[in-house]
Amino acid sequence: MKSLFYLLATPLLALAQNWPPPANVTGDTAVHDPSICLDKDGKYWLFTTSVDLQIITSEDRKAWTSIGTMWAPGEAVWTNKYAINGSLWAPDCHYINNEFWVYYAASTIGSRNSAIFLARSKTGLPGNWTNEGLVTSTSPTDNYNAIDPKFPLLPNDGSIANSSLTSLAMRNVNNGAIEGSYLFQVGSYYYLFSSWDVCCAGVNSTYNVRVARSTSPSGPFVDQDGVNALNGGGTLILGTHGSIIAPGGESVFMDKNDTVTLVYHYVTPNGSFLGLNGLNFSTGWPVVTALE
Ligand SMILES: *[C@@H]1O[C@H](CO)[C@@H](O)[C@H](O)[C@H]1NC(C)=O
Ligand SMILES: *[C@@H]1O[C@H](CO)[C@@H](O)[C@H](O)[C@H]1NC(C)=O
Ligand SMILES: *[C@@H]1O[C@H](CO)[C@@H](O)[C@H](O)[C@H]1NC(C)=O
Ligand SMILES: *[C@@H]1O[C@H](CO)[C@@H](O)[C@H](O)[C@H]1NC(C)=O
Ligand SMILES: *[C@@H]1O[C@H](CO)[C@@H](O)[C@H](O)[C@H]1NC(C)=O
Ligand SMILES: *[C@@H]1O[C@H](CO)[C@@H](O)[C@H](O)[C@H]1NC(C)=O
Ligand SMILES: *[C@@H]1O[C@H](CO)[C@@H](O)[C@H](O)[C@H]1NC(C)=O
Ligand SMILES: *[C@@H]1O[C@H](CO)[C@@H](O)[C@H](O)[C@H]1NC(C)=O
């Protein structure tokens, strides 16, 4: 009976998920864990997991061009204690007072010998970044991992305001596979996005985007069924559909026309690529929408 249930349930579930396709984008869109910020002139700047942190820009959010990397080859020596050959992860970009602030992680796959660093730049251009140093780190004995940064609140210098740790979400199934956290405020709620399951197994990846919300950035966060994110709560908002495999590594930014935009990567047989969709919060919960 159990296997029959799964046979019946799987196609029904697939039919029920009527997610729109990602927006059509062109150019240099092979990315992983992308983050986008807009500068004062309305130009889009995308940062992605890569060696030395690749910078990809666009005038219209549709055609993307790589302009180089934040660090020159071998320059980011301060990450060598955590990363290999400048392979840096999950940059989180914000444009604050005419300046780019990028938090990024240094680690290796499966390790908690990890750190988060901050870099700043007035121009955003390759080779024009200042290393603002270590923000926080973890060691193999910690039960969390200092990767996938997102700052919600910060003092003037961008360092950690309060060294006491607040847990926001936890899973007890599937090896506790939850990462890619991203906090975004809409109205009176803070929305905690996360990526669940397997990020990086090519076309066998099972990443999917989840959300929980709270009226406070320090929680408690609950999903749409009222389950606390610390007890595995998280409402599915985007998963594998059709040729879009394992969407995840998400971030969120406010586009020029006030469209809250979900930024993520998805897997194809040819690698992982940029996905963009709108988010409609009119019900109080984000619903993925189509973008041009
Ligand atoms: C992407 O482009 C194709 C071909 O032009 C078009 O059929 C499709 O509707 C477009 N998708 C979106 C989400 O705009
Ligand atoms: C790191 O870079 C060096 C020099 O290019 C290369 O020999 C080595 O194989 C690389 N290591 C890894 C783990 O990619
Ligand atoms: C960035 O470029 C400006 C000139 O455009 C220069 O004055 C500044 O020193 C550069 N900063 C870094 C960190 O390279
Ligand atoms: C740091 O956070 C803890 C836990 O949320 C709180 O009890 C404490 O008051 C905070 N300390 C400061 C200086 O804000
Ligand atoms: C995906 O899974 C299939 C079946 O287990 C396996 O043959 C294939 O090598 C896997 N592909 C990747 C990219 O891991
Ligand atoms: C993968 O790349 C090949 C060769 O460039 C191309 O023909 C094919 O359409 C691509 N497939 C997908 C799913 O993007
Ligand atoms: C958001 O969704 C609501 C309810 O489905 C719809 O009425 C509204 O037009 C949508 N807003 C936008 C900007 O698409
Ligand atoms: C503005 O928002 C609509 C969705 O409401 C989207 O389709 C369009 O591409 C957006 N334009 C820009 C420039 O972001």
Side-chain angles (χ1 to χ4, degrees), residues 58-83:
S58 175
E59 299 293 341
D60 61 2
R61 206 240 313 106
K62 294 172 186 168
W64 295 89
T65 306
S66 175
I67 62 166
T69 57
M70 283 173 56
W71 313 118
E75 181 184 0
V77 289
W78 55 91
T79 65
N80 288 351
K81 194 178 157 193
Y82 308 95

Side-chain angles (χ1 to χ4, degrees), residues 228-251:
N228 193 312
L230 283 167
N231 297 327
T235 299
L236 178 66
I237 63 161
L238 190 64
T240 295
H241 54 291
S243 60
I244 308 300
I245 301 168
E250 73 290 337
S251 60

Side-chain angles (χ1 to χ4, degrees), residues 40-52:
K40 61 180 185 311
D41 302 322
K43 185 172 178 173
Y44 298 83
W45 297 74
L46 184 152
F47 298 82
T48 175
T49 290
S50 51
V51 172
D52 297 324

